[in-house]
Amino acid sequence: MDDRPKHDHSGWEEVVFAARERARTRQALLVERFGLSGDVQYHWSMDDARITWSRHEQVFLSGRLTMIGSVSLAQQTWLWSWANEPLPRTVLGDIDRVRQFGEANDYPVLPWPSFSYHPELVAEARMVAASVLDAEGLWAETTDDMQLHFLVHDLVLAARRS
C-alpha cells in the first residue's frame, strides 16, 4: 500500500499562480529598472555562473546565474539541471532546493529528473523554481536544438567610468 500523500492539483495551481504573478512583476521591474531592452548586449557563462549586460561595449550590470534546466527540441524533453551530471557545479546554485520543495509538497514535476516537453508545464516549473529560489529574474537562451533556462540573482550595477 502506498502511504504517500497524493498530488494536490489545486495546491499546485495555487503555487503556480502565485509564482507566475511574482515572476511577471520581478521580470518587468528587472527590464524597467536596468534598461534591459533596445541596444543591450549580454554575455553569460556556465563555467562561472555569471551574466553581464553591456551597452556600447561598457558593462553596466552583472548577476549570478542558476541553471534551471534545458529542453531538447529534437527529443521534445525537459531535463532539470540537478539531473544533468555534466553541468558545472557552479551553475547549479541551490537548484536542489526546488527538487526538495517538490518532494516535500508532493508536486511530481519538480523531483522528476525529466519529462516530456509541454511548453505550459515547463513555464510552470520555471516560475515555481524562480519563486522557491527567490530569483530576481528569468533568462533563456535558445540554440538550434536546445533551450537553456536560467534564474538571475544578485544583480550589481557596474561602477561608472569617468
Side-chain angles (χ1 to χ4, degrees):
M1 183 171 165
D2 186 359
D3 292 332
R4 290 181 305 166
K6 300 299 177 204
H7 171 64
D8 177 0
H9 191 70
S10 65
W12 171 250
E13 287 178 348
E14 290 173 16
V15 166
V16 168
F17 179 79
R20 189 179 310 259
E21 290 304 308
R22 180 189 176 284
R24 278 186 189 141
T25 301
R26 286 201 171 191
Q27 200 74 14
L29 286 171
L30 176 72
V31 171
E32 181 182 328
R33 178 177 177 209
F34 298 111
L36 298 180
S37 60
D39 62 344
V40 175
Q41 293 82 43
Y42 62 92
H43 173 76
W44 60 275
S45 167
M46 279 201 266
D47 291 331
D48 64 2
R50 303 292 302 165
I51 186 168
T52 58
W53 288 270
S54 60
R55 191 174 276 118
H56 310 294
E57 298 183 19
Q58 295 291 317
V59 171
F60 65 90
L61 182 67
S62 65
R64 178 174 56 88
L65 292 175
T66 297
M67 186 166 183
I68 308 168
S70 57
V71 174
S72 167
L73 298 173
Q75 297 174 353
Q76 292 290 290
T77 56
W78 165 267
L79 177 63
W80 283 100
S81 62
W82 55 262
N84 192 342
E85 291 183 19
L87 290 176
R89 179 70 198 137
T90 307
V91 80
L92 299 180
D94 291 330
I95 196 67
D96 278 333
R97 286 182 35 215
V98 176
R99 180 185 49 76
Q100 293 162 356
F101 177 77
E103 289 171 347
N105 293 285
D106 201 34
Y107 298 139
V109 71
L110 301 179
W112 293 342
S114 65
F115 52 87
S116 294
Y117 174 61
H118 299 283
E120 184 60 27
L121 189 55
V122 167
E124 290 174 356
R126 292 175 65 232
M127 302 292 173
V128 172
S131 182
V132 169
L133 296 182
D134 195 30
E136 293 181 60
L138 292 145
W139 193 262
E141 187 75 27
T142 301
T143 65
D144 291 338
D145 61 348
M146 188 74 60
Q147 291 177 348
L148 305 175
H149 297 274
F150 300 93
L151 300 174
V152 179
H153 314 269
D154 306 330
L155 292 171
V156 176
L157 285 170
R160 293 185 182 207
R161 297 183 201 174
S162 352

